[in-house]
Amino acid sequence: MIRKVITGNVAVAEAVRVSGVQVVSAYPITPQTVIVERIAEMVERGELKAKYIRVESEHSALAAVYGAAAGGARAFTATSSHGLLYMYEMLWWIAYSRLPIVMAVVTRAIGPPWNIHSDHHDALTVRDSGWIIGFASSVQEVFDMTLQAFKIGEDPRVTLPVMVALEGFTLSHTAEPVDMPEEELVREWLPPREPLPFKIEPGKPFSVGNLGPDEVSMELRWLMWKAMERSRLVIRDVDLEYAKGFGLRSYGGLGEDFHAKNSDYIVVTMGAWSGDAKEAVEKLRDEGYNVGLLRVRFFRPFPWEELREISQSAKAFLAVDRAVSMGHRGILGLEVSSALEGKAPVKNVIAGIGGVDVGPEDFYSIIKAFIEEYEYGSIEGWSRPEWYMPWMEVGGK
Amino acid sequence: MLREFLILSRGGQGGVTASRILASAAVLEGLWAQAIPEFGAERRGAIVKSYLRVSNGPIARHSSVKKPEGVAVFSSRILELVDISKLAPEGAPVIVNASEKPKIPGREVYYVNATSIAVELGLVIAGWPLVNTAMSSAMAKVFRIASLESVVNALSEYFKGELLKANVEAARLAWNSVSG
């Protein structure tokens, strides 16, 4: 095991290096650029024996890794914000072709106004496309999740692309100590990709994604849906197997339970600020509040089983969102309330949009207000989301 | 134990690298650490905030540092543009890169001539003296973040060859010359 102080972007590049990726194609965009710069340097120095394809846009980057994966290669790309939006068409082609590509998305607000800081809107536009979507919460988890993404996506029970989301600057440019297993051990654990029999090879032409009868389209979506359901087991297994094999921590599969089981009040968060929220939960627990937190690690497949299990003893939920669906609730808030289906009321708070800094003190006031509101009887059924903008005296107490 | 520090530098001076060097030095001593840059749409010369956290266990929070126990200022001119009392609680000491001791009312002030150390050792890029190593060494000493040995060992993660030698020397000079 090697411990190094590295940033989230370097952690992604290191995970890509030890995973033995064969083809990388990417187009730089802040705050993701360092990932592909590092990988380009690794390829240049011969530390990573991969083909690095330079392209003129993100759409082409994803098209290039699409071809590589269809040819049986282990392929990787990375992007952010507007770059991800520019990939949108190819995202669906890759998922619907069942190609297990791994992509790092360094989350960044979508403009206008131009903004290089993070929220979750970009990553969540991928929601319905058939990609497995993970959100890391520390630089260590960025490394672990990127490596695990190859194992999960390439598992024959799954064969789906995997996106690893890490927050711009908050994780991408923040340096933390990371424990990295030896390269040889990783190679053993993650052998070269074994493509399915239908891969494109010279001399054996066949058509990928050709026109088909309507029923075939539906059948393929049904099979894909089943694969996504099976991925729940694979994600949990890979998490445990990785932790055991390398002596690292298990995160808990699709969701991380932080005092959530048997608590009255459950906070649901996603991403790096979950750490700030945990500190607030800890403080409130010290003050006698029976509160816990469930961190959503995988947004797709969504941990509805975990949420429903926790809800058996919970009075109310609070989903703190970093993305909003205009005309409805926050996106995480919607998912949490739909998973719980009336089992417990869900308050939804929208905060940290456009990278607005939210720390333990903010979470403390957001969570305490939620508990007090429930105890006064003002949280019952459905409610509109509440925006937390203390500098404008909107939301919070 | 969670210790939090703030670095104020200008883009190009190496404030971000300084916080990373200190994070590495603390981790070499068996601690946990976190170095966070606060970027805008960056340009050389703009004021950049960098944060450093050191703890005896994993650090959960990822937001900005609001109450640093110590501040490092990489250019004394920054003091004319920034109100330290808005960025750090009362009593938090300040280390300034300056040729003579600056006065900051009501605060314990340390200073080190990091610019002359950098220039003397040829640590200059595109006209910018790289004061990061000298400043991180001064911070390590005054704020008791890590030993000189750990700072020197951490430097090898960031510099190689002749550049490493010059930076090790910068760390030594700053460690010995920072004063209150």
Side-chain angles (χ1 to χ4, degrees), chain A residues 41-350:
Chain A
E41 287 164 15
M42 289 166 177
V43 172
E44 174 84 18
R45 287 196 294 258
E47 295 165 7
L48 174 63
K49 294 191 176 32
K51 174 91 182 154
Y52 190 104
I53 305 167
R54 285 183 295 153
V55 283
E56 76 287 0
S57 76
E58 286 87 352
H59 188 277
S60 303
L62 211 49
V65 289
Y66 174 84
R74 181 172 285 160
F76 172 85
T77 188
T79 192
S80 186
S81 187
H82 292 260
L84 180 67
L85 300 189
Y86 197 30
M87 283 178 171
Y88 205 59
E89 182 192 19
M90 290 311 298
L91 284 173
W92 293 70
W93 268 93
I94 282 175
Y96 280 21
S97 304
R98 304 288 300 276
L99 294 170
I101 285 157
V102 172
M103 171 166 67
V105 170
V106 181
T107 63
R108 164 183 155 180
I110 295 166
W114 282 119
N115 183 332
I116 58 171
H117 296 133
S118 179
D119 61 34
H120 290 165
H121 284 110
D122 55 352
L124 294 180
T125 63
V126 181
R127 187 183 68 175
D128 303 331
S129 64
W131 283 67
I132 290 172
I133 302 171
F135 276 80
S137 70
S138 67
V139 179
Q140 177 74 56
E141 194 178 15
V142 167
F143 177 84
D144 298 337
M145 195 180 265
T146 307
L147 260 188
Q148 291 176 15
F150 292 101
K151 190 87 168 177
I152 294 164
E154 292 173 12
D155 189 294
R157 291 168 287 178
V158 179
T159 54
L160 286 170
V162 185
M163 184 181 108
V164 177
L166 59 146
E167 276 129 329
F169 298 102
T170 314
L171 289 177
S172 70
H173 286 63
T174 292
E176 291 178 339
V178 177
D179 289 331
M180 293 179 281
E182 310 290 341
E183 201 174 329
E184 302 76 57
L185 296 178
V186 175
R187 293 284 159 100
E188 235 169 78
W189 178 73
L190 184 68
R193 181 183 159 208
E194 268 182 47
L196 294 170
F198 46 88
K199 65 169 181 176
I200 299 174
E201 279 177 290
K204 288 190 206 162
F206 77 98
S207 172
V208 177
N210 204 349
L211 194 72
D214 298 349
E215 288 76 8
V216 168
S217 289
M218 188 158 177
E219 274 172 47
L220 290 173
R221 293 301 79 80
W222 175 64
L223 290 170
M224 188 174 171
W225 176 83
K226 295 217 285 193
M228 184 62 97
E229 287 304 310
R230 283 194 298 270
S231 76
R232 294 176 192 280
L233 296 170
V234 177
I235 290 167
R236 289 180 196 125
D237 283 354
V238 168
D239 172 56
L240 290 171
E241 173 191 303
Y242 182 89
K244 209 176 150 204
F246 299 127
L248 289 163
R249 62 175 289 211
S250 150
Y251 294 94
L254 276 71
E256 180 195 348
D257 179 316
F258 182 77
H259 303 302
K261 229 158 267 165
N262 303 321
S263 280
D264 291 340
Y265 303 103
I266 312 295
V267 183
V268 186
T269 56
M270 198 156 67
W273 73 359
S274 305
D276 299 75
K278 280 182 192 171
E279 287 192 22
V281 164
E282 197 80 73
K283 190 170 176 212
L284 285 157
R285 289 180 70 85
D286 288 346
E287 292 172 13
Y289 294 93
N290 192 8
V291 57
L293 180 142
L294 184 89
R295 176 169 69 86
V296 172
R297 291 189 70 228
F298 282 85
F299 191 77
R300 283 292 179 271
F302 194 74
W304 62 268
E305 291 158 309
E306 287 79 350
L307 277 161
R308 289 178 77 84
E309 199 192 321
I310 287 165
S311 74
Q312 288 177 1
S313 52
K315 288 180 180 164
F317 283 70
L318 166 70
V320 190
D321 244 295
R322 230 170 171 174
V324 58
S325 175
M326 292 294 164
H328 214 332
R329 291 185 125 189
I331 298 174
L332 181 64
L334 276 170
E335 300 277 339
V336 172
S337 43
S338 120
L340 293 174
E341 215 172 57
K343 273 180 161 286
V346 180
K347 180 180 175 176
N348 187 202
V349 168
I350 292 159

Side-chain angles (χ1 to χ4, degrees), chain B residues 72-118:
Chain B
V73 180
F74 277 31
S75 154
S76 53
R77 292 287 302 279
I78 292 175
L79 292 172
E80 296 163 22
L81 304 165
V82 165
D83 184 357
I84 298 283
S85 67
K86 291 211 171 85
L87 299 173
E90 231 174 284
V94 180
I95 306 175
V96 186
N97 168 23
S99 52
E100 54 190 75
K101 189 172 172 172
K103 284 197 184 73
I104 309 175
R107 248 174 233 279
E108 200 182 331
V109 178
Y110 296 82
Y111 77 106
V112 61
N113 198 339
T115 301
S116 87
I117 291 174

Side-chain angles (χ1 to χ4, degrees), chain A residues 3 5 7 116-117 137 169-171 173-177 272 275-276 279 357-361, chain B residues 2 20 23-24 27 32-37 39-41 59-64 66 157-158:
Chain A
R3 176 169 292 181
V5 175
T7 62
I116 58 171
H117 296 133
S137 70
F169 298 102
T170 314
L171 289 177
H173 286 63
T174 292
E176 291 178 339
D276 299 75
E279 287 192 22
D357 190 33
V358 179
E361 311 79 11
Chain B
L2 175 67
R20 288 179 186 166
S24 291
V27 169
W32 269 258
Q34 195 181 54
I36 308 179
F39 285 112
I59 298 164
R61 61 177 69 180
H62 281 89
S63 51
S64 69
K66 278 105 188 166
E157 291 173 28
Y158 298 88

